Amino acid sequence: SYTTDTKTREENKKTLENLYSLSVDVTKIRRLKEWVLLQDVAYVKEIAGILQEMGADETTVANIIERCPEAILHTPAEINSQRALWQLVCQNEKQLIKLIEQFPESFFTTEYQKNQKANILFFQELGLKNNIITRFLTSAPNIFYNPVEKNKNVIETLQRNYLNLGGSEANMKIWILKLLSQNPFILLNTSTAIQENLEFLQKNDFTDQEVLQLLSKLKGFIFQLNSTTMQKSMLFSKNIFKCSDQELKQLVLKCPALLYYSVPVLEERLEGLLKEGISIAQIRETPMVLELTTQIVQYRIKKLSALGYDIKSGNLESLNGTKKDFEVTYGKIQSKKERPIFNPVAPLHIED
């Protein structure tokens, strides 16, 4: 609804004056979104006033406008509606202003207010805590742009499949909420895509229990895949590890990344490991190492080598896990190395 033809138009002097009076760095706006300064109508003072009412100081207001200049093109009525909407899940205005400062684009997208409200109420009904919903609003705002019926449909498909795969009614709510909080983007998929991916796993002889296990392990990422890429990745792993279908299935259950990552990603990671002198047999033994990027693997090998730990002859388990997991492993190896070999307190047996 705003023109972006910047050649023939001049900057709006009144907008500039108002921005300068708020100590906004206008050069930043020119560099980012100059078209905002060319619009005939802007609500600089009004939007600043609403933000100040919520407790924002001058620096915060300037910061918000510099990061999201199109905020000043919304009417005060639109912003007040958005404010009321986000207050449904925010503890107080102090938290709200903090979120706006961190994620201004999410807050100032006001075109989908009706859908946003319906989805917020739906998520609350579903049992999602408000702090999780605010996280969705800021980090996955587009799931709120969907009509609520679409999100309901996806959730119903997940619930139906969970029960069909042998999940219990008692655990279903916890499972759904966990899945959503780990990966809200599953709501951007269609029910059909979800169904197709589950059927692909069943056709590949994964039992219902194993499919359920994979869904939990993959944190819902499986729904963002398609059967073609999964088939290619599985075939690649089968050829590399020279294993039977049954063995491949066990490897995938151990390391769902073999299903999730595309062939080019798996190839690059495998190559990185082989360059470090690690064998295919070692990788097959600990496939989870393929979940790590080549850079992380190199960094961890370097740190362990400095302690005299030879990864080529050792177990790859020491490379695995999150940053925190690795630090614990590293600490254990380090303290083992520093520990004296003999017990200084024990009496020495010296022959006469």
Side-chain angles (χ1 to χ4, degrees), residues 42-99:
Y43 302 92
V44 183
K45 282 185 171 172
E46 293 87 338
I47 302 308
I50 294 171
L51 293 171
Q52 282 160 346
E53 253 176 54
M54 285 191 260
D57 58 20
E58 191 180 286
T59 313
T60 305
V61 171
N63 189 18
I64 290 169
I65 294 172
E66 283 163 13
R67 285 191 55 199
C68 183
E70 58 271 43
I72 62 172
L73 302 179
H74 290 289
T75 65
E78 283 173 332
I79 298 311
N80 276 321
S81 295
Q82 195 73 339
R83 175 185 178 180
L85 200 58
W86 281 47
Q87 278 175 327
L88 293 173
V89 286
C90 283
Q91 295 165 352
N92 49 41
E93 296 212 310
K94 191 181 174 185
Q95 187 201 7
L96 178 54
I97 206 72
K98 205 174 172 186
L99 288 176

Side-chain angles (χ1 to χ4, degrees), residues 286 288-293 296 300 316-327 329:
T286 316
M288 294 78 77
V289 77
L290 289 167
E291 291 174 359
L292 306 169
T293 66
I296 291 173
R300 291 182 181 183
L316 297 188
E317 286 289 347
S318 50
L319 287 178
N320 272 346
T322 60
K323 189 182 177 191
K324 200 176 174 184
D325 296 334
F326 175 71
E327 279 164 8
T329 308

Side-chain angles (χ1 to χ4, degrees), residues 7 17 21 26 95 110 123 139 141 148 161-162 184 192-193 237 244 248-249 251 259 261 280 306 340:
K7 291 185 180 71
E17 276 169 26
S21 73
V26 175
Q95 187 201 7
T110 62
F123 291 142
S139 58
V148 72
N161 278 294
Y162 179 77
T192 321
S237 299
S244 67
L248 176 65
K249 207 174 81 161
L251 282 174
L259 198 65
Y261 289 122
I280 290 283

